[in-house]
Amino acid sequence: MNVTSAVKQRYSEGANEVQDELCCPVDYDRDLLKLLPQEIIDKDYGCGDPSRYVREGDVVLDLGSGGGKICYMAAQLVGTQGRVIGVDMNDDMLALASKYQSEMAGKLGGDRVVFHKGYIQDLALDVAAMEDWLADNPVTDAASLEHLHHWQAEQRRERPLIADNSVDLVISNCVLNLVDDRHKAQLIREIHRVLKPGGRVAISDIVSDEEVPAHLKADTELWSGCISGAFQEEAFLDAFRQAGFLGVAFDRWDSTPWKVIEGIEFRSVTLTAVKGVDSPCLDYGHAVMYRGPYAAVTDDEDHVFPRGARMAVCERTWRFLTESGVYGSDFIGFAPATPREPVNFCAPPGTRRSAAETRSGKVAGGDNDCCC
Ligand SMILES: C[S@@+](CC[C@H](N)C(=O)[O-])C[C@H]1O[C@@H](n2cnc3c(N)ncnc32)[C@H](O)[C@@H]1O
């Protein structure tokens, strides 16, 4: 059996009967759980709580939404202007989540959650629409297979399940590890595609502290149990960086492993990251200063910021470092003292900006002024 079939079978069982060995203890927000049906709370196969990253008004996409728990929690946080989309490939899980949709819409005061059948590594493909099409156009030979591929390409292009640049926040709870290794890079590219510029990611998942050996990966019971398909911890961050995300971090990292197998620790983490905005890199003369305490830091675009130095950055990077919230108050931003015609490229990495160029410009992220 391949890993996808094993995962489908395991989570069909999980939708029908609680599977204790798939449950990883999670400290969810009790207030958000109060509204949820007990069956959905019981059939929880998550390992973290990405709902805590949801903001009012967000369009949220939950990858591998299972019984719908995180979607229904997120729906309480997005408010009347936001909405939540759950995607899962498993019919039994989709049936469980949908069973409570009208009850939850009543409790929420609006139907702001939708569940779609799809593969999270191929978020443009509408699997329910494809199944309808296949009922009338069964694949029986090479020609009909080619016809299907043609239909899929057109559907992805003309009527994508999840459109480009359409989501504010992608969340997921214990699912990425279940995706076949051959599709993991494509999965992360898909997350990047569907996010709006400036959109955020919060992925709770299991990681391993060293590379999982082939004989464990070949064990479909361990794979479908959210263990042997886990990313190695550093590779998990690197994969998001490679796909173009910025500010990639472990926002949460459980010190106690969930499982230890052949000495390898498997633990729950939550990865956060941001999709950069697509505005051009224009140099108006801005600078940022890294406060410390480290001697220097490097961001995901390979800018190096020595502690205490006014470093030249384009306006886009200036906003990201000082306004996006990703870096807290690590950077102080200096707008140019005298705005100048923008130059359409970044100053070479390592370029400093003199105090005279930035003095008396607007300061972002400074502390309160003090007069003695
Ligand atoms: C461990 S459960 C987690 C469910 C849910 N996120 C929760 O917190 O309870 C994994 C879910 O991901 C779904 N899943 C796994 N691989 C998938 C894929 N490639 N595409 C879509 N859904 C997938 C499974 O069907 C299952 O519902």
Side-chain angles (χ1 to χ4, degrees), residues 4 7-8 11 22 28 43-48 62-70 87-90 93 118-121 172-175 178-180 224 226:
T4 308
V7 169
K8 278 189 179 156
Y11 290 97
L22 291 177
Y28 292 112
K43 291 173 178 170
D44 164 31
Y45 304 120
C47 59
D62 181 17
L63 304 178
S65 42
K69 181 192 66 261
I70 295 290
V87 172
D88 205 289
M89 67 179 181
N90 186 295
M93 280 294 183
Y119 295 103
I120 61 173
Q121 64 272 27
S172 185
N173 196 4
C174 218
V175 183
L178 294 169
V179 174
D180 192 312
S224 62
C226 292

Side-chain angles (χ1 to χ4, degrees), residues 247 286-314 316-335 362-367:
H286 290 79
V288 292
M289 177 193 288
Y290 168 56
R291 288 173 184 263
Y294 303 103
V297 290
T298 307
D299 72 3
D300 279 325
E301 293 183 293
D302 294 329
H303 301 108
V304 178
F305 302 101
R307 174 176 50 205
R310 294 183 186 215
M311 303 303 294
V313 286
C314 71
R316 185 186 70 194
T317 300
W318 188 81
R319 292 199 181 285
F320 187 63
L321 295 176
T322 63
E323 294 177 357
S324 68
V326 170
Y327 298 99
S329 58
D330 286 353
F331 291 93
I332 302 163
F334 303 90
K362 183 183 157 214
V363 176
D367 302 312

Side-chain angles (χ1 to χ4, degrees), residues 184-197:
K184 281 187 167 90
Q186 182 188 328
L187 158 64
I188 299 170
R189 285 197 298 274
E190 278 290 85
I191 297 174
H192 196 271
R193 176 183 70 77
V194 301
L195 276 171
K196 296 175 186 174

Side-chain angles (χ1 to χ4, degrees), residues 50-285:
S51 75
R52 65 185 75 206
Y53 300 87
V54 174
R55 297 181 193 156
E56 198 170 345
D58 275 344
V59 175
V60 177
L61 173 64
D62 181 17
L63 304 178
S65 42
K69 181 192 66 261
I70 295 290
C71 289
Y72 291 129
M73 291 167 76
Q76 298 171 58
L77 299 166
V78 296
T80 53
Q81 300 306 307
R83 59 197 179 89
V84 182
I85 306 156
V87 172
D88 205 289
M89 67 179 181
N90 186 295
D91 288 321
D92 294 303
M93 280 294 183
L94 288 163
L96 170 61
S98 306
K99 180 170 152 189
Y100 295 101
Q101 208 169 339
S102 59
E103 177 185 324
M104 287 303 299
K107 289 182 184 172
L108 290 162
D111 199 359
R112 51 185 99 121
V113 185
V114 63
F115 296 102
H116 291 305
K117 184 167 183 178
Y119 295 103
I120 61 173
Q121 64 272 27
D122 188 0
L123 288 166
L125 183 66
D126 183 337
V127 174
M130 181 175 73
E131 286 176 337
D132 287 347
W133 187 88
L134 281 169
D136 296 329
N137 302 274
V139 172
T140 52
D141 54 19
S144 54
L145 180 62
E146 203 175 301
H147 191 197
L148 169 65
H149 289 158
H150 186 268
W151 181 90
Q152 287 174 323
E154 188 201 28
Q155 184 271 304
R156 287 189 186 99
R157 191 175 60 246
E158 306 294 335
R159 301 172 300 282
L161 182 68
I162 311 292
D164 295 4
N165 304 316
S166 61
V167 171
D168 295 295
L169 173 67
V170 172
I171 55 176
S172 185
N173 196 4
C174 218
V175 183
L176 271 55
N177 68 80
L178 294 169
V179 174
D180 192 312
D181 280 349
R182 291 170 303 164
H183 301 143
K184 281 187 167 90
Q186 182 188 328
L187 158 64
I188 299 170
R189 285 197 298 274
E190 278 290 85
I191 297 174
H192 196 271
R193 176 183 70 77
V194 301
L195 276 171
K196 296 175 186 174
R200 293 122 52 218
V201 169
I203 307 286
S204 299
D205 221 301
I206 299 295
V207 294
S208 59
D209 63 353
E210 55 182 277
E211 187 61 41
V212 179
H215 70 279
L216 294 184
K217 282 187 184 284
D219 181 330
T220 51
E221 187 74 6
L222 283 181
W223 190 288
S224 62
C226 292
I227 297 170
S228 54
F231 278 93
Q232 189 274 342
E233 58 198 18
E234 188 180 357
F236 193 33
L237 298 173
D238 283 349
F240 278 76
R241 177 66 203 97
Q242 293 296 324
F245 284 96
L246 305 177
V248 182
F250 284 138
D251 195 52
R252 294 179 75 90
W253 197 88
D254 280 6
S255 43
T256 308
W258 175 48
K259 298 265 160 95
V260 181
I261 299 191
E262 296 187 4
I264 302 172
E265 292 189 353
F266 294 86
R267 60 170 43 76
S268 172
V269 300
T270 299
L271 177 151
T272 52
V274 174
K275 175 174 171 175
V277 296
D278 49 11
S279 57
C281 181
L282 295 175
D283 185 0
Y284 288 86

